[in-house]
Amino acid sequence: MSSLRTAGLEEILPDAVTFPRADAGGSAVYSRFPLAEQGYRQLAGGFVQAHARVRVPGAPEVYVESAHPCAPMGRASDACWLADLAAQPAATPGGPVNLLMGDFNSTLDHKAFRRVVAKGYHDAADLTGAGLSTSWPYDNRWYFPSVTLDHILADKRVGVRKVVIYRVTGSDHRAVFAELVLPKAGG
């Protein structure tokens, strides 16, 4: 996180809701637009998911949540992974525009993750043809085949112009950047 701060994260995205932890269980949402209704949800697996409503000029309110269900690393953790995925919020077609982003510890091949997408979302990378761009482990120090665990799920009212995957120094995950097109306010 310190390298992101040094690179100017807080100047570019000055509004934030953060719940840091020493381990991978922390969460944050950063924005260049004002945030309201900031908070977090505690998942059964122990991780927290930061969330907030973002006030984007000319668009309806956007509900953003930073997703991070626990990882399925064997029989003991599979139950918490399934519970954490099932607990992900649904898009609200009559309410704010929803964005659910982060490390889902799932690929589009996982049935439990496809259930999350079916709650009114589309996967930004999949929509643009970048769905097979792997995000973990990019340094392969774990000796696993690289897979796509990090996703931006946008509610179906949101368009996607492009998705780009970037290396992040000091992380075993790549960053997923999406250029999204929000609906117009009142539209």
Side-chain angles (χ1 to χ4, degrees), residues 104-180:
F104 286 87
N105 284 308
S106 304
T107 69
L108 287 169
D109 299 314
H110 290 108
K111 185 177 184 178
F113 180 64
R114 289 193 310 270
R115 284 190 201 117
V116 177
V117 176
K119 291 180 175 184
Y121 297 101
H122 47 233
D123 182 280
D126 189 47
L127 201 64
T128 62
L132 295 178
S133 298
T134 60
S135 63
W136 181 87
Y138 95 77
D139 60 4
N140 223 358
R141 68 180 176 197
W142 299 99
Y143 306 104
F144 294 121
S146 292
V147 291
T148 306
L149 300 183
D150 303 276
H151 304 270
I152 295 176
L153 300 184
D155 104 13
K156 292 185 177 180
R157 296 172 286 175
V158 175
V160 183
R161 281 201 183 118
K162 69 178 179 179
V163 172
V164 182
I165 311 299
Y166 293 100
R167 289 186 147 197
V168 178
T169 302
S171 175
D172 60 338
H173 287 261
R174 291 180 179 163
V176 180
F177 169 85
E179 187 175 320
L180 304 176

Side-chain angles (χ1 to χ4, degrees), residues 49-106:
Q49 293 188 177
H51 60 79
R53 291 188 189 263
V54 183
R55 296 184 179 134
V56 180
E61 228 175 20
V62 180
Y63 176 83
V64 178
E65 186 159 337
S66 176
H68 196 195
C70 70
M73 297 178 9
R75 291 181 193 216
S77 62
D78 285 355
C80 89
W81 174 67
L82 291 169
D84 284 0
L85 283 173
Q88 298 304 313
T92 53
V97 171
N98 287 65
L99 300 175
L100 190 55
M101 316 182 253
D103 175 6
F104 286 87
N105 284 308
S106 304

